[in-house]
Amino acid sequence: MIFLLGLLKKRQFWYIVLVIFLITLTYRLTYTHEEIFNQIERPFLAVFSPISDFFSSMVNYFAGKVTSIKDIFYLKSQNELLKKKVDELSPYQKMYYELKTENEKLRRMLDLKERSYDYNLEAAEVIGRDPSNWFNILIIDKGTNSGVSKNMAVISEDGLVGYTIDVGKNWAKVLVITDNRSSISAMIQRTRDNGVVKGSVAPAPPGYLKMVYLPMDASVVNGDVVVSSGLGGIAPKGIIIGKVEEVKKESDNLMKFAIVKPAVDFNKLEYVFVIKNFSYAGRE
Amino acid sequence: MRYVFYLIIMTFVLVIQSSISPYIKIGGVNPDFFLIMLLSYSIIKGPERGSFYGLSGGLIEDLMFGRFIGLNSLTKFLTCYITGWGTKNLFKGPAVFTILFVFIGSLIYNLLFLLANYIFIPSFQRGNIFTFFIYTAIVNAIFAPIVYNFVYKIEHFFDYYFNIKY
């Protein structure tokens, strides 16, 4: 009691209480009214993004040089490996064209239009990353001026990166799929089992994904490819998310979950593509 | 004026860190130079000024990478206050002490950040907390003497420039 009375008389105590109160108030305001937060952050990021762009380009340039020097020693072995890979994949390529033609024929016979997604892509450069170890947010150098808006899927040549959560005139924040606040509707490519891919949620190690809500009878095995299911309207169907590393039962024994290794190496991400819109040509 | 200079330095540290973070990962963990800088400042200047800069730094981080204001501001403010208060009357000479202070400061920051996440983000989930806490604190502690030295020299220069020269 005496300690509490002493504490109440201290100036520092009231200073802390006042600051916590003000931060809580600001949090309530900006969390419930996103537009207020956007009004504050946009001018700030408008100044910050060109500086970040400059530093990012410089770092990427030097990193590229260093990588080039390092790569010289690996080029020969890498070349041989790639040649071997090409030899292995050549028959599959022929088989693919055969099956594609056959598929088209059969679809015509069944009076189904050809299924294909027509993406409208916008190339963007990664100019910033959340430096903390808690979250995974990227900042890209394209915004509303380039037709980018909120909740657009972001991909790289390897697969799904994430989706836009906040957009300015010349920048956009991308929530990466490994961020534990991210949820993407997905399915197992081979078995067509649907689920939801969440980022870095236990027991998935940091940088890995957890695919939840898999039915108990799903015959998912290690090495299965996980793709976006198209549900939710953010990412179009069929974008590669990653590969299954491990399959386990949930503690309630009603569902299964899978640990998924992302297809994209987020540490080497320099350029990405924003899917501005995708039209689904055809009917099933 | 001194505060404005510090804001510019803090922003630059954050920008540089966000640009180089993929290249400086140690076992999948980024050293948080921005946090080490704020902790160093709190160790040098004490709880009140340390927490004020912690609050400013947190606000910058919230605006740059956040989705609302409050998460980084609150955690960095409290971390800097506790670190500044805890090291107020301690001898800060050897680098070993700096390493220890930053290690404990990083642990406090992680703990406060975790609590703030559970309060601010209802859907928040995180696994392997203990390993993550210890490992990030160790990585930060490794770089502590370098960053502390940098902050100390800036403070020394600012003291000369603002208090003695003019």
Side-chain angles (χ1 to χ4, degrees), chain A residues 11-12 15-16 27 30-31 37 48 59-60 63 129 131 133-135 137 173 180 202 267, chain B residues 15 17-18 22-23 30 48 51 63-66 68-69 81 110 113 117 120 125-127:
Chain A
R11 190 175 58 88
Q12 283 196 2
Y15 158 70
I16 294 168
Y27 155 71
T30 52
Y31 189 76
F37 178 66
F48 153 77
V59 167
N60 287 341
R129 295 158 190 267
N133 292 298
W134 287 87
F135 297 131
I137 283 180
K173 285 182 187 176
N180 54 37
N267 290 326
Chain B
V15 166
Q17 189 175 316
S18 83
Y23 307 104
N30 289 315
E48 282 186 19
S51 63
L63 288 170
M64 274 191 192
F65 304 103
F68 53 84
I69 291 171
Y81 189 89
N110 281 337
F113 204 91
N117 269 315
F120 288 157
Q125 286 178 287
R126 180 97 206 187

mmCIF file of all heavy atoms in Angstrom, chain A residues 11-12 15-16 27 30-31 37 48 59-60 63 129 131 133-135 137 173 180 202 267, chain B residues 15 17-18 22-23 30 48 51 63-66 68-69 81 110 113 117 120 125-127:
data_model
loop_
_atom_site.group_PDB
_atom_site.id
_atom_site.type_symbol
_atom_site.label_atom_id
_atom_site.label_comp_id
_atom_site.label_asym_id
_atom_site.label_seq_id
_atom_site.Cartn_x
_atom_site.Cartn_y
_atom_site.Cartn_z
ATOM 1 N N ARG A 11 6.535 11.159 -10.732
ATOM 2 C CA ARG A 11 6.247 11.782 -12.022
ATOM 3 C C ARG A 11 6.409 10.774 -13.166
ATOM 4 O O ARG A 11 5.624 10.757 -14.106
ATOM 5 C CB ARG A 11 7.213 12.958 -12.224
ATOM 6 C CG ARG A 11 6.905 13.859 -13.413
ATOM 7 C CD ARG A 11 7.857 15.036 -13.421
ATOM 8 N NE ARG A 11 9.242 14.608 -13.480
ATOM 9 C CZ ARG A 11 9.904 14.369 -14.616
ATOM 10 N NH1 ARG A 11 9.308 14.523 -15.769
ATOM 11 N NH2 ARG A 11 11.171 14.001 -14.612
ATOM 12 N N GLN A 12 7.431 9.943 -13.031
ATOM 13 C CA GLN A 12 7.732 8.963 -14.091
ATOM 14 C C GLN A 12 6.589 7.963 -14.283
ATOM 15 O O GLN A 12 6.313 7.536 -15.390
ATOM 16 C CB GLN A 12 9.020 8.222 -13.754
ATOM 17 C CG GLN A 12 10.236 9.070 -14.030
ATOM 18 C CD GLN A 12 11.507 8.249 -14.067
ATOM 19 O OE1 GLN A 12 11.459 7.037 -13.921
ATOM 20 N NE2 GLN A 12 12.636 8.893 -14.283
ATOM 21 N N TYR A 15 3.981 9.556 -16.294
ATOM 22 C CA TYR A 15 4.498 9.694 -17.665
ATOM 23 C C TYR A 15 4.257 8.388 -18.434
ATOM 24 O O TYR A 15 3.734 8.401 -19.564
ATOM 25 C CB TYR A 15 5.990 10.060 -17.599
ATOM 26 C CG TYR A 15 6.814 9.748 -18.823
ATOM 27 C CD1 TYR A 15 6.641 10.457 -20.014
ATOM 28 C CD2 TYR A 15 7.828 8.780 -18.776
ATOM 29 C CE1 TYR A 15 7.432 10.175 -21.133
ATOM 30 C CE2 TYR A 15 8.611 8.497 -19.879
ATOM 31 C CZ TYR A 15 8.410 9.202 -21.061
ATOM 32 O OH TYR A 15 9.188 8.932 -22.159
ATOM 33 N N ILE A 16 4.570 7.252 -17.835
ATOM 34 C CA ILE A 16 4.364 5.934 -18.475
ATOM 35 C C ILE A 16 2.875 5.683 -18.708
ATOM 36 O O ILE A 16 2.467 5.272 -19.791
ATOM 37 C CB ILE A 16 4.992 4.794 -17.619
ATOM 38 C CG1 ILE A 16 6.500 4.939 -17.592
ATOM 39 C CG2 ILE A 16 4.633 3.427 -18.181
ATOM 40 C CD1 ILE A 16 7.198 4.076 -16.570
ATOM 41 N N TYR A 27 -4.042 3.265 -31.099
ATOM 42 C CA TYR A 27 -4.245 1.916 -31.630
ATOM 43 C C TYR A 27 -5.713 1.681 -31.961
ATOM 44 O O TYR A 27 -6.057 1.221 -33.048
ATOM 45 C CB TYR A 27 -3.737 0.871 -30.624
ATOM 46 C CG TYR A 27 -4.403 -0.479 -30.768
ATOM 47 C CD1 TYR A 27 -4.128 -1.292 -31.854
ATOM 48 C CD2 TYR A 27 -5.340 -0.928 -29.829
ATOM 49 C CE1 TYR A 27 -4.759 -2.522 -32.007
ATOM 50 C CE2 TYR A 27 -5.973 -2.146 -29.969
ATOM 51 C CZ TYR A 27 -5.688 -2.942 -31.059
ATOM 52 O OH TYR A 27 -6.318 -4.135 -31.203
ATOM 53 N N THR A 30 -6.639 3.744 -35.131
ATOM 54 C CA THR A 30 -6.055 3.303 -36.412
ATOM 55 C C THR A 30 -6.408 1.860 -36.758
ATOM 56 O O THR A 30 -6.371 1.475 -37.915
ATOM 57 C CB THR A 30 -4.520 3.470 -36.406
ATOM 58 O OG1 THR A 30 -3.994 2.839 -35.238
ATOM 59 C CG2 THR A 30 -4.116 4.925 -36.426
ATOM 60 N N TYR A 31 -6.723 1.046 -35.747
ATOM 61 C CA TYR A 31 -7.069 -0.350 -35.997
ATOM 62 C C TYR A 31 -8.506 -0.476 -36.502
ATOM 63 O O TYR A 31 -8.791 -1.249 -37.408
ATOM 64 C CB TYR A 31 -6.886 -1.174 -34.706
ATOM 65 C CG TYR A 31 -7.019 -2.663 -34.912
ATOM 66 C CD1 TYR A 31 -5.986 -3.381 -35.507
ATOM 67 C CD2 TYR A 31 -8.153 -3.357 -34.486
ATOM 68 C CE1 TYR A 31 -6.093 -4.755 -35.692
ATOM 69 C CE2 TYR A 31 -8.266 -4.730 -34.665
ATOM 70 C CZ TYR A 31 -7.237 -5.423 -35.267
ATOM 71 O OH TYR A 31 -7.342 -6.781 -35.447
ATOM 72 N N PHE A 37 -5.370 5.584 -40.396
ATOM 73 C CA PHE A 37 -3.986 5.110 -40.455
ATOM 74 C C PHE A 37 -3.372 5.406 -41.829
ATOM 75 O O PHE A 37 -2.230 5.851 -41.930
ATOM 76 C CB PHE A 37 -3.921 3.609 -40.157
ATOM 77 C CG PHE A 37 -2.525 3.031 -40.255
ATOM 78 C CD1 PHE A 37 -1.537 3.414 -39.374
ATOM 79 C CD2 PHE A 37 -2.211 2.115 -41.251
ATOM 80 C CE1 PHE A 37 -0.247 2.885 -39.466
ATOM 81 C CE2 PHE A 37 -0.938 1.584 -41.354
ATOM 82 C CZ PHE A 37 0.040 1.967 -40.451
ATOM 83 N N PHE A 48 9.499 7.994 -47.810
ATOM 84 C CA PHE A 48 10.381 6.872 -47.485
ATOM 85 C C PHE A 48 10.655 5.947 -48.677
ATOM 86 O O PHE A 48 11.779 5.499 -48.869
ATOM 87 C CB PHE A 48 9.771 6.074 -46.318
ATOM 88 C CG PHE A 48 10.172 4.616 -46.275
ATOM 89 C CD1 PHE A 48 11.414 4.237 -45.824
ATOM 90 C CD2 PHE A 48 9.278 3.636 -46.694
ATOM 91 C CE1 PHE A 48 11.771 2.898 -45.796
ATOM 92 C CE2 PHE A 48 9.632 2.298 -46.666
ATOM 93 C CZ PHE A 48 10.881 1.933 -46.208
ATOM 94 N N VAL A 59 21.945 -2.134 -52.789
ATOM 95 C CA VAL A 59 22.253 -3.400 -52.104
ATOM 96 C C VAL A 59 22.131 -4.569 -53.080
ATOM 97 O O VAL A 59 23.004 -5.436 -53.130
ATOM 98 C CB VAL A 59 21.319 -3.595 -50.873
ATOM 99 C CG1 VAL A 59 21.398 -5.011 -50.337
ATOM 100 C CG2 VAL A 59 21.677 -2.607 -49.779
ATOM 101 N N ASN A 60 21.062 -4.578 -53.875
ATOM 102 C CA ASN A 60 20.866 -5.651 -54.854
ATOM 103 C C ASN A 60 21.978 -5.677 -55.892
ATOM 104 O O ASN A 60 22.414 -6.739 -56.324
ATOM 105 C CB ASN A 60 19.514 -5.492 -55.556
ATOM 106 C CG ASN A 60 18.351 -5.850 -54.642
ATOM 107 O OD1 ASN A 60 18.533 -6.528 -53.645
ATOM 108 N ND2 ASN A 60 17.168 -5.362 -54.961
ATOM 109 N N ALA A 63 25.065 -7.026 -54.116
ATOM 110 C CA ALA A 63 24.822 -8.442 -53.805
ATOM 111 C C ALA A 63 24.911 -9.277 -55.073
ATOM 112 O O ALA A 63 25.448 -10.384 -55.073
ATOM 113 C CB ALA A 63 23.454 -8.617 -53.167
ATOM 114 N N ARG A 129 11.745 -4.475 -46.694
ATOM 115 C CA ARG A 129 11.230 -5.648 -45.983
ATOM 116 C C ARG A 129 11.120 -5.309 -44.507
ATOM 117 O O ARG A 129 11.966 -4.573 -43.985
ATOM 118 C CB ARG A 129 12.207 -6.830 -46.091
ATOM 119 C CG ARG A 129 12.399 -7.348 -47.471
ATOM 120 C CD ARG A 129 13.737 -8.086 -47.548
ATOM 121 N NE ARG A 129 14.071 -8.403 -48.928
ATOM 122 C CZ ARG A 129 13.774 -9.537 -49.513
ATOM 123 N NH1 ARG A 129 13.131 -10.464 -48.853
ATOM 124 N NH2 ARG A 129 14.117 -9.748 -50.762
ATOM 125 N N PRO A 131 12.065 -5.446 -41.116
ATOM 126 C CA PRO A 131 13.329 -5.959 -40.584
ATOM 127 C C PRO A 131 13.178 -6.789 -39.320
ATOM 128 O O PRO A 131 14.114 -7.448 -38.902
ATOM 129 C CB PRO A 131 14.123 -4.678 -40.287
ATOM 130 C CG PRO A 131 13.099 -3.639 -40.069
ATOM 131 C CD PRO A 131 11.887 -4.018 -40.847
ATOM 132 N N ASN A 133 11.910 -9.830 -36.773
ATOM 133 C CA ASN A 133 11.819 -11.286 -36.966
ATOM 134 C C ASN A 133 10.413 -11.804 -36.689
ATOM 135 O O ASN A 133 10.172 -12.997 -36.729
ATOM 136 C CB ASN A 133 12.825 -11.986 -36.044
ATOM 137 C CG ASN A 133 14.252 -11.704 -36.450
ATOM 138 O OD1 ASN A 133 14.671 -12.043 -37.548
ATOM 139 N ND2 ASN A 133 14.996 -11.025 -35.598
ATOM 140 N N TRP A 134 9.503 -10.890 -36.393
ATOM 141 C CA TRP A 134 8.161 -11.305 -36.013
ATOM 142 C C TRP A 134 7.222 -11.434 -37.194
ATOM 143 O O TRP A 134 6.441 -12.373 -37.275
ATOM 144 C CB TRP A 134 7.576 -10.306 -35.008
ATOM 145 C CG TRP A 134 8.187 -10.434 -33.666
ATOM 146 C CD1 TRP A 134 9.334 -9.816 -33.223
ATOM 147 C CD2 TRP A 134 7.744 -11.230 -32.586
ATOM 148 N NE1 TRP A 134 9.602 -10.195 -31.935
ATOM 149 C CE2 TRP A 134 8.639 -11.056 -31.517
ATOM 150 C CE3 TRP A 134 6.651 -12.077 -32.402
ATOM 151 C CZ2 TRP A 134 8.486 -11.694 -30.291
ATOM 152 C CZ3 TRP A 134 6.494 -12.714 -31.179
ATOM 153 C CH2 TRP A 134 7.408 -12.525 -30.143
ATOM 154 N N PHE A 135 7.289 -10.451 -38.072
ATOM 155 C CA PHE A 135 6.355 -10.424 -39.188
ATOM 156 C C PHE A 135 7.090 -10.466 -40.512
ATOM 157 O O PHE A 135 8.316 -10.366 -40.573
ATOM 158 C CB PHE A 135 5.466 -9.181 -39.117
ATOM 159 C CG PHE A 135 4.594 -9.149 -37.909
ATOM 160 C CD1 PHE A 135 4.514 -8.013 -37.116
ATOM 161 C CD2 PHE A 135 3.856 -10.257 -37.534
ATOM 162 C CE1 PHE A 135 3.714 -7.986 -35.985
ATOM 163 C CE2 PHE A 135 3.047 -10.239 -36.404
ATOM 164 C CZ PHE A 135 2.985 -9.106 -35.635
ATOM 165 N N ILE A 137 6.586 -8.644 -44.009
ATOM 166 C CA ILE A 137 5.932 -7.717 -44.929
ATOM 167 C C ILE A 137 6.964 -7.179 -45.910
ATOM 168 O O ILE A 137 8.090 -6.875 -45.531
ATOM 169 C CB ILE A 137 5.245 -6.572 -44.146
ATOM 170 C CG1 ILE A 137 3.929 -7.087 -43.544
ATOM 171 C CG2 ILE A 137 4.983 -5.355 -45.027
ATOM 172 C CD1 ILE A 137 3.142 -6.105 -42.752
ATOM 173 N N LYS A 173 2.215 -2.427 -49.668
ATOM 174 C CA LYS A 173 2.702 -3.379 -48.665
ATOM 175 C C LYS A 173 2.153 -4.754 -49.014
ATOM 176 O O LYS A 173 0.955 -4.887 -49.297
ATOM 177 C CB LYS A 173 2.224 -2.981 -47.264
ATOM 178 C CG LYS A 173 2.970 -1.798 -46.673
ATOM 179 C CD LYS A 173 2.470 -1.492 -45.278
ATOM 180 C CE LYS A 173 3.078 -0.202 -44.746
ATOM 181 N NZ LYS A 173 2.532 0.163 -43.424
ATOM 182 N N ASN A 180 2.542 -14.925 -40.044
ATOM 183 C CA ASN A 180 1.538 -15.720 -39.325
ATOM 184 C C ASN A 180 0.142 -15.097 -39.298
ATOM 185 O O ASN A 180 -0.774 -15.658 -38.727
ATOM 186 C CB ASN A 180 2.011 -16.096 -37.914
ATOM 187 C CG ASN A 180 2.431 -14.895 -37.125
ATOM 188 O OD1 ASN A 180 1.833 -13.825 -37.230
ATOM 189 N ND2 ASN A 180 3.477 -15.055 -36.339
ATOM 190 N N ALA A 202 2.711 -22.710 -35.375
ATOM 191 C CA ALA A 202 3.218 -23.934 -34.758
ATOM 192 C C ALA A 202 2.373 -25.143 -35.183
ATOM 193 O O ALA A 202 1.161 -25.010 -35.313
ATOM 194 C CB ALA A 202 3.193 -23.791 -33.244
ATOM 195 N N ASN A 267 14.258 -14.917 -49.393
ATOM 196 C CA ASN A 267 15.497 -14.164 -49.171
ATOM 197 C C ASN A 267 16.093 -13.655 -50.468
ATOM 198 O O ASN A 267 16.873 -12.716 -50.471
ATOM 199 C CB ASN A 267 16.532 -15.041 -48.460
ATOM 200 C CG ASN A 267 16.128 -15.313 -47.040
ATOM 201 O OD1 ASN A 267 15.520 -14.472 -46.391
ATOM 202 N ND2 ASN A 267 16.444 -16.500 -46.564
ATOM 203 N N VAL B 15 15.742 1.977 -42.806
ATOM 204 C CA VAL B 15 15.714 1.791 -44.268
ATOM 205 C C VAL B 15 16.837 0.858 -44.704
ATOM 206 O O VAL B 15 16.610 -0.086 -45.473
ATOM 207 C CB VAL B 15 15.818 3.154 -44.989
ATOM 208 C CG1 VAL B 15 16.124 2.965 -46.461
ATOM 209 C CG2 VAL B 15 14.531 3.951 -44.834
ATOM 210 N N GLN B 17 18.476 -1.297 -42.861
ATOM 211 C CA GLN B 17 18.212 -2.639 -42.328
ATOM 212 C C GLN B 17 17.168 -3.373 -43.157
ATOM 213 O O GLN B 17 17.302 -4.577 -43.408
ATOM 214 C CB GLN B 17 17.738 -2.536 -40.883
ATOM 215 C CG GLN B 17 17.662 -3.887 -40.211
ATOM 216 C CD GLN B 17 17.318 -3.794 -38.753
ATOM 217 O OE1 GLN B 17 17.848 -2.956 -38.045
ATOM 218 N NE2 GLN B 17 16.447 -4.648 -38.291
ATOM 219 N N SER B 18 16.132 -2.675 -43.576
ATOM 220 C CA SER B 18 15.083 -3.333 -44.380
ATOM 221 C C SER B 18 15.597 -3.710 -45.757
ATOM 222 O O SER B 18 15.091 -4.623 -46.395
ATOM 223 C CB SER B 18 13.846 -2.445 -44.483
ATOM 224 O OG SER B 18 13.980 -1.501 -45.499
ATOM 225 N N PRO B 22 17.806 -9.493 -46.019
ATOM 226 C CA PRO B 22 17.930 -10.865 -46.541
ATOM 227 C C PRO B 22 19.373 -11.360 -46.626
ATOM 228 O O PRO B 22 19.619 -12.548 -46.685
ATOM 229 C CB PRO B 22 17.341 -10.774 -47.954
ATOM 230 C CG PRO B 22 16.806 -9.421 -48.098
ATOM 231 C CD PRO B 22 17.336 -8.564 -47.026
ATOM 232 N N TYR B 23 20.323 -10.422 -46.630
ATOM 233 C CA TYR B 23 21.725 -10.813 -46.805
ATOM 234 C C TYR B 23 22.478 -10.969 -45.485
ATOM 235 O O TYR B 23 23.629 -11.378 -45.477
ATOM 236 C CB TYR B 23 22.440 -9.774 -47.682
ATOM 237 C CG TYR B 23 21.719 -9.533 -48.990
ATOM 238 C CD1 TYR B 23 20.954 -8.391 -49.192
ATOM 239 C CD2 TYR B 23 21.800 -10.457 -50.020
ATOM 240 C CE1 TYR B 23 20.279 -8.175 -50.393
ATOM 241 C CE2 TYR B 23 21.126 -10.253 -51.221
ATOM 242 C CZ TYR B 23 20.367 -9.113 -51.393
ATOM 243 O OH TYR B 23 19.695 -8.902 -52.567
ATOM 244 N N ASN B 30 17.287 -12.275 -38.406
ATOM 245 C CA ASN B 30 17.916 -10.984 -38.695
ATOM 246 C C ASN B 30 18.381 -10.324 -37.411
ATOM 247 O O ASN B 30 17.606 -10.234 -36.469
ATOM 248 C CB ASN B 30 16.900 -10.022 -39.335
ATOM 249 C CG ASN B 30 16.539 -10.422 -40.739
ATOM 250 O OD1 ASN B 30 17.390 -10.758 -41.540
ATOM 251 N ND2 ASN B 30 15.257 -10.397 -41.031
ATOM 252 N N GLU B 48 14.160 7.955 -19.252
ATOM 253 C CA GLU B 48 13.232 8.949 -19.813
ATOM 254 C C GLU B 48 13.532 9.276 -21.269
ATOM 255 O O GLU B 48 12.657 9.198 -22.137
ATOM 256 C CB GLU B 48 13.233 10.209 -18.951
ATOM 257 C CG GLU B 48 12.412 10.014 -17.683
ATOM 258 C CD GLU B 48 12.262 11.267 -16.866
ATOM 259 O OE1 GLU B 48 12.466 12.372 -17.411
ATOM 260 O OE2 GLU B 48 11.944 11.147 -15.682
ATOM 261 N N SER B 51 13.252 6.035 -23.442
ATOM 262 C CA SER B 51 11.880 5.640 -23.791
ATOM 263 C C SER B 51 11.257 6.587 -24.809
ATOM 264 O O SER B 51 10.464 6.176 -25.645
ATOM 265 C CB SER B 51 11.017 5.581 -22.530
ATOM 266 O OG SER B 51 10.927 6.857 -21.935
ATOM 267 N N LEU B 63 4.602 2.999 -38.868
ATOM 268 C CA LEU B 63 4.184 3.658 -40.106
ATOM 269 C C LEU B 63 4.777 2.972 -41.332
ATOM 270 O O LEU B 63 4.125 2.854 -42.363
ATOM 271 C CB LEU B 63 4.599 5.139 -40.096
ATOM 272 C CG LEU B 63 3.809 6.039 -39.147
ATOM 273 C CD1 LEU B 63 4.460 7.404 -39.036
ATOM 274 C CD2 LEU B 63 2.371 6.207 -39.624
ATOM 275 N N MET B 64 6.007 2.500 -41.211
ATOM 276 C CA MET B 64 6.664 1.870 -42.361
ATOM 277 C C MET B 64 6.138 0.472 -42.639
ATOM 278 O O MET B 64 5.845 0.131 -43.778
ATOM 279 C CB MET B 64 8.173 1.782 -42.111
ATOM 280 C CG MET B 64 8.926 3.016 -42.491
ATOM 281 S SD MET B 64 10.673 2.628 -42.440
ATOM 282 C CE MET B 64 11.367 4.240 -42.552
ATOM 283 N N PHE B 65 6.049 -0.339 -41.609
ATOM 284 C CA PHE B 65 5.753 -1.752 -41.830
ATOM 285 C C PHE B 65 4.487 -2.256 -41.134
ATOM 286 O O PHE B 65 4.138 -3.417 -41.268
ATOM 287 C CB PHE B 65 6.941 -2.619 -41.378
ATOM 288 C CG PHE B 65 8.227 -2.239 -42.051
ATOM 289 C CD1 PHE B 65 9.187 -1.502 -41.391
ATOM 290 C CD2 PHE B 65 8.458 -2.592 -43.368
ATOM 291 C CE1 PHE B 65 10.359 -1.133 -42.017
ATOM 292 C CE2 PHE B 65 9.630 -2.230 -43.999
ATOM 293 C CZ PHE B 65 10.583 -1.493 -43.328
ATOM 294 N N GLY B 66 3.837 -1.393 -40.389
ATOM 295 C CA GLY B 66 2.671 -1.834 -39.629
ATOM 296 C C GLY B 66 1.367 -1.701 -40.392
ATOM 297 O O GLY B 66 1.332 -1.198 -41.510
ATOM 298 N N PHE B 68 -1.321 -0.712 -38.316
ATOM 299 C CA PHE B 68 -1.956 0.248 -37.400
ATOM 300 C C PHE B 68 -0.856 0.785 -36.500
ATOM 301 O O PHE B 68 0.251 0.247 -36.462
ATOM 302 C CB PHE B 68 -3.063 -0.419 -36.580
ATOM 303 C CG PHE B 68 -2.635 -1.662 -35.856
ATOM 304 C CD1 PHE B 68 -2.022 -1.596 -34.622
ATOM 305 C CD2 PHE B 68 -2.827 -2.915 -36.439
ATOM 306 C CE1 PHE B 68 -1.608 -2.742 -33.968
ATOM 307 C CE2 PHE B 68 -2.416 -4.072 -35.795
ATOM 308 C CZ PHE B 68 -1.810 -3.985 -34.551
ATOM 309 N N ILE B 69 -1.160 1.841 -35.748
ATOM 310 C CA ILE B 69 -0.156 2.426 -34.852
ATOM 311 C C ILE B 69 -0.341 1.843 -33.454
ATOM 312 O O ILE B 69 -1.458 1.752 -32.956
ATOM 313 C CB ILE B 69 -0.278 3.970 -34.831
ATOM 314 C CG1 ILE B 69 0.160 4.539 -36.184
ATOM 315 C CG2 ILE B 69 0.579 4.584 -33.721
ATOM 316 C CD1 ILE B 69 -0.105 6.011 -36.356
ATOM 317 N N TYR B 81 12.365 1.970 -21.739
ATOM 318 C CA TYR B 81 12.229 2.492 -20.375
ATOM 319 C C TYR B 81 12.806 1.493 -19.365
ATOM 320 O O TYR B 81 13.604 1.859 -18.496
ATOM 321 C CB TYR B 81 10.761 2.791 -20.034
ATOM 322 C CG TYR B 81 10.646 3.528 -18.717
ATOM 323 C CD1 TYR B 81 10.689 4.919 -18.680
ATOM 324 C CD2 TYR B 81 10.557 2.830 -17.515
ATOM 325 C CE1 TYR B 81 10.637 5.603 -17.471
ATOM 326 C CE2 TYR B 81 10.515 3.502 -16.298
ATOM 327 C CZ TYR B 81 10.548 4.875 -16.283
ATOM 328 O OH TYR B 81 10.518 5.547 -15.087
ATOM 329 N N ASN B 110 11.112 -9.022 -26.760
ATOM 330 C CA ASN B 110 10.386 -10.168 -27.320
ATOM 331 C C ASN B 110 9.169 -10.531 -26.475
ATOM 332 O O ASN B 110 8.100 -10.811 -27.013
ATOM 333 C CB ASN B 110 11.311 -11.391 -27.413
ATOM 334 C CG ASN B 110 12.234 -11.316 -28.608
ATOM 335 O OD1 ASN B 110 11.952 -10.626 -29.583
ATOM 336 N ND2 ASN B 110 13.356 -12.003 -28.540
ATOM 337 N N PHE B 113 6.578 -7.822 -26.876
ATOM 338 C CA PHE B 113 6.025 -7.898 -28.235
ATOM 339 C C PHE B 113 5.024 -9.048 -28.349
ATOM 340 O O PHE B 113 3.973 -8.912 -28.975
ATOM 341 C CB PHE B 113 7.156 -8.086 -29.249
ATOM 342 C CG PHE B 113 6.805 -7.618 -30.629
ATOM 343 C CD1 PHE B 113 7.066 -6.315 -31.026
ATOM 344 C CD2 PHE B 113 6.194 -8.460 -31.548
ATOM 345 C CE1 PHE B 113 6.733 -5.867 -32.294
ATOM 346 C CE2 PHE B 113 5.856 -8.027 -32.812
ATOM 347 C CZ PHE B 113 6.137 -6.717 -33.193
ATOM 348 N N ASN B 117 1.133 -8.571 -29.058
ATOM 349 C CA ASN B 117 0.513 -9.264 -30.197
ATOM 350 C C ASN B 117 -0.765 -9.970 -29.799
ATOM 351 O O ASN B 117 -1.751 -9.941 -30.519
ATOM 352 C CB ASN B 117 1.484 -10.281 -30.792
ATOM 353 C CG ASN B 117 2.314 -9.681 -31.892
ATOM 354 O OD1 ASN B 117 1.799 -8.984 -32.763
ATOM 355 N ND2 ASN B 117 3.608 -9.889 -31.852
ATOM 356 N N PHE B 120 -3.242 -7.021 -29.230
ATOM 357 C CA PHE B 120 -3.593 -6.223 -30.418
ATOM 358 C C PHE B 120 -4.130 -7.044 -31.580
ATOM 359 O O PHE B 120 -4.950 -6.577 -32.359
ATOM 360 C CB PHE B 120 -2.381 -5.414 -30.896
ATOM 361 C CG PHE B 120 -2.009 -4.267 -30.004
ATOM 362 C CD1 PHE B 120 -0.726 -3.744 -30.018
ATOM 363 C CD2 PHE B 120 -2.941 -3.702 -29.149
ATOM 364 C CE1 PHE B 120 -0.381 -2.671 -29.205
ATOM 365 C CE2 PHE B 120 -2.599 -2.630 -28.325
ATOM 366 C CZ PHE B 120 -1.323 -2.118 -28.356
ATOM 367 N N GLN B 125 -0.883 -16.203 -33.677
ATOM 368 C CA GLN B 125 -0.398 -17.519 -33.226
ATOM 369 C C GLN B 125 1.102 -17.572 -33.477
ATOM 370 O O GLN B 125 1.590 -17.054 -34.473
ATOM 371 C CB GLN B 125 -1.060 -18.630 -34.048
ATOM 372 C CG GLN B 125 -2.509 -18.892 -33.699
ATOM 373 C CD GLN B 125 -3.056 -19.977 -34.604
ATOM 374 O OE1 GLN B 125 -3.294 -19.734 -35.773
ATOM 375 N NE2 GLN B 125 -3.259 -21.155 -34.065
ATOM 376 N N ARG B 126 1.806 -18.191 -32.607
ATOM 377 C CA ARG B 126 3.248 -18.298 -32.810
ATOM 378 C C ARG B 126 3.764 -19.572 -32.156
ATOM 379 O O ARG B 126 3.365 -19.910 -31.049
ATOM 380 C CB ARG B 126 3.934 -17.076 -32.210
ATOM 381 C CG ARG B 126 5.419 -17.061 -32.364
ATOM 382 C CD ARG B 126 5.847 -16.240 -33.546
ATOM 383 N NE ARG B 126 7.137 -16.714 -34.047
ATOM 384 C CZ ARG B 126 7.814 -16.096 -34.985
ATOM 385 N NH1 ARG B 126 7.355 -15.025 -35.542
ATOM 386 N NH2 ARG B 126 8.963 -16.560 -35.424
ATOM 387 N N GLY B 127 4.645 -20.247 -32.856
ATOM 388 C CA GLY B 127 5.212 -21.468 -32.293
ATOM 389 C C GLY B 127 6.673 -21.283 -31.942
ATOM 390 O O GLY B 127 7.280 -20.272 -32.265
#
